[in-house]
Amino acid sequence: MPGQDNRLKPHGFYRGAALTLLFASVLATAAATDSLPRADEEAARISTRSVASTADRDEVARAAAEAMADGKSGTEAAEDVVSRSGDRWGAVYDKGEYEEFEQALDGKYTGVGLSAKRLADGRIAASKVQPGGPAARAGIKAGDILRTVDGEPVGPRPVTEVVALLRGEGHVAGGSEDASAGTTVVLGLSRGGHEWTETLRRVSLSTDAVTLETGADGALVIKVAAFTKGTGKQIRNAVLEAPRGAGVLLDLRGNAGGLVTEAVQAASAFLDGGLVATYDIRGEQRALYADPGGDTERPVVALVDGGTMSAAELVTGALQDRGRAITVGSPTFGKGSVQMPSRLPDGSVAELTVGHYRTPAGHKVDDKGITPDLVVDERAQERARTVLSGLGGGS
């Protein structure tokens, strides 16, 4: 199915103000296999993602159409059918929510370049300031306390809501993240007892999904936050350009998933062709294969945890089963089901479970996750470096 974009996506990704890449969940495979079935011609321009159990697509569409004919919300009617179906990962997204998600997987978002976290004392602080973004240019630093957004106290709010406010979600009718680009937001901040306000203008920014670092031991550390557009090529290039004999620590902790095509390309960086995963769509078996020409010599350790999900589990399972990496950390999340999107009469999108995927050795991922070769709860990165050194990948 040439031209179709394929992604892994989270359930509840856009509920309320929580429009962040937290629970990516789908195995989207059409472009990788050129054969993924589609609900209709419109769905070919949407992506396919992964989930578990299933609601009837026709029933969902019929409920939406009947609700609209009665002057009610088609989206809400569809959500009710999916909820009652027992489809654990099935969901319905309005048009704006879906557009925002697609932007996120393209590695883009609108905001001020500021990540937030809650401190032990309950306050909200800047956890990361993106270099070159509006917040960085204003002199805001990681650790600064965020007191208010547009005059509203943020202390009692969930962090996801604070992030949504910073990004301007809901700021302009229509729901698209691009709608808030160019708008301003006033932040109330404090640092070391000094309080001040900053007025920042939101802009379109690119996410830093892949971070590269060379350790003192010469090993290459590749941290992958999500498999957004372009990450597979970044990983492959980094491995190809690494010094001969240098080991690789592939850090997939907290990686909630992303585009399956990028995940396959990432696995291909360490494989010379061969099976990456098998999956079924309504009982029909399919397979995903690595590209030839990857580095099969240098030592690799994959670092995982309970936040390693979906596409990240796809990569983990492939490298572990193919004997290409030692996995270290805690058991992964366990999200390995396949979902098909359908466009509803009101423009919203319903995603319903149609199958599951397995690792090259045939292990089921959904609800089970992947158990690392070396299970550690504390000092996982330190242990991973020790393992890599033992494999000859570090001094």
Side-chain angles (χ1 to χ4, degrees), residues 11 15 24 43 101 105 124 152 163 177 179 197 202 235 243 275 285 315 332 335 348 394:
H11 172 62
R15 290 296 169 260
F101 173 69
L105 283 180
I124 300 293
E152 296 293 327
V163 171
E177 281 204 273
T197 61
R202 300 182 181 95
I235 294 167
L275 189 64
Q285 298 299 310
V315 175
T332 64
K335 183 68 209 66
S348 58

Side-chain angles (χ1 to χ4, degrees), residues 13-390:
F13 185 89
Y14 292 113
R15 290 296 169 260
L19 308 184
T20 54
L21 263 176
L22 296 178
F23 295 100
S25 66
V26 178
L27 179 64
T29 48
T33 62
D34 199 35
S35 58
L36 188 66
R38 51 186 168 183
D40 48 39
E41 288 301 313
E42 185 66 18
R45 294 193 295 274
I46 307 171
S47 56
T48 302
R49 308 176 171 72
S50 97
V51 271
S53 194
T54 191
D56 181 78
R57 179 173 62 89
D58 293 336
E59 181 183 356
V60 173
R62 184 167 54 251
E66 290 175 353
M68 292 175 65
D70 292 337
K72 300 177 181 178
S73 169
T75 301
E76 291 181 3
E79 287 176 338
D80 183 59
V81 173
V82 174
S83 177
R84 288 188 283 104
S85 74
D87 190 337
R88 175 186 173 192
W89 292 98
V92 180
Y93 305 93
D94 67 36
K95 184 178 179 180
E97 291 172 347
Y98 213 83
E99 289 174 352
E100 289 170 355
F101 173 69
E102 295 200 329
Q103 280 193 349
L105 283 180
D106 279 341
K108 300 176 182 178
Y109 73 99
T110 298
V112 295
L114 189 65
S115 300
K117 65 179 180 181
R118 186 176 300 281
L119 301 178
D121 60 10
R123 294 181 298 171
I124 300 293
S127 58
K128 181 180 179 182
V129 180
Q130 185 168 335
R137 292 197 300 270
I140 298 173
K141 299 179 180 179
D144 287 347
I145 303 301
L146 183 61
R147 299 180 295 108
T148 62
V149 175
D150 286 333
E152 296 293 327
V154 298
R157 294 178 180 267
V159 172
T160 49
E161 286 190 15
V162 176
V163 171
L165 290 173
L166 292 171
R167 295 188 176 187
E169 289 155 8
H171 186 91
V172 177
S176 170
E177 281 204 273
D178 273 348
S180 64
T183 60
T184 58
V185 59
V186 181
L187 308 184
L189 301 146
S190 68
R191 180 194 305 159
H194 170 62
E195 296 185 354
W196 80 102
T197 61
E198 290 285 356
T199 300
L200 306 178
R201 188 173 298 277
R202 300 182 181 95
V203 298
S204 179
L205 297 166
S206 297
T207 57
D208 297 322
V210 178
T211 304
L212 305 177
E213 175 187 323
T214 301
D217 57 1
L220 174 64
V221 180
I222 305 177
K223 169 66 178 176
V224 189
F227 287 102
T228 54
K229 187 175 181 179
T231 56
K233 184 176 181 180
Q234 283 183 270
I235 294 167
R236 184 153 187 155
N237 288 344
V239 173
L240 290 174
E241 294 169 6
R244 183 181 180 86
V248 174
L249 177 59
L250 183 64
D251 190 348
L252 299 176
R253 291 176 297 175
N255 184 318
L259 298 167
V260 75
T261 49
E262 300 296 337
V264 171
Q265 190 171 11
S268 299
F270 307 100
L271 301 169
D272 185 13
L275 189 64
V276 172
T278 59
Y279 65 100
D280 64 272
I281 297 293
R282 298 194 178 101
E284 184 177 349
Q285 298 299 310
R286 311 282 176 83
L288 293 168
Y289 294 96
D291 297 327
D295 188 320
T296 60
E297 299 298 325
R298 69 177 74 247
V300 181
V301 171
L303 191 54
V304 300
D305 64 7
T308 304
M309 302 173 62
S310 198
E313 290 176 293
L314 188 83
V315 175
T316 302
L319 298 183
Q320 184 184 59
D321 283 3
R322 296 280 303 274
R324 190 59 194 89
I326 300 297
T327 52
V328 177
S330 51
T332 64
F333 182 85
K335 183 68 209 66
S337 46
V338 184
Q339 186 178 46
M340 176 73 76
S342 298
R343 184 78 68 181
L344 299 178
D346 63 352
S348 58
V349 175
E351 292 196 328
L352 310 175
T353 302
V354 295
H356 301 81
Y357 78 82
R358 294 176 180 269
T359 68
H363 300 132
K364 179 183 177 183
V365 175
D366 207 48
D367 292 327
K368 293 181 177 295
I370 297 172
T371 300
D373 299 308
L374 175 61
V375 177
V376 294
D377 293 324
E378 297 181 355
R379 298 161 57 192
Q381 184 159 341
E382 181 181 333
R383 296 292 296 277
R385 285 183 178 276
T386 299
V387 171
L388 187 60
S389 178

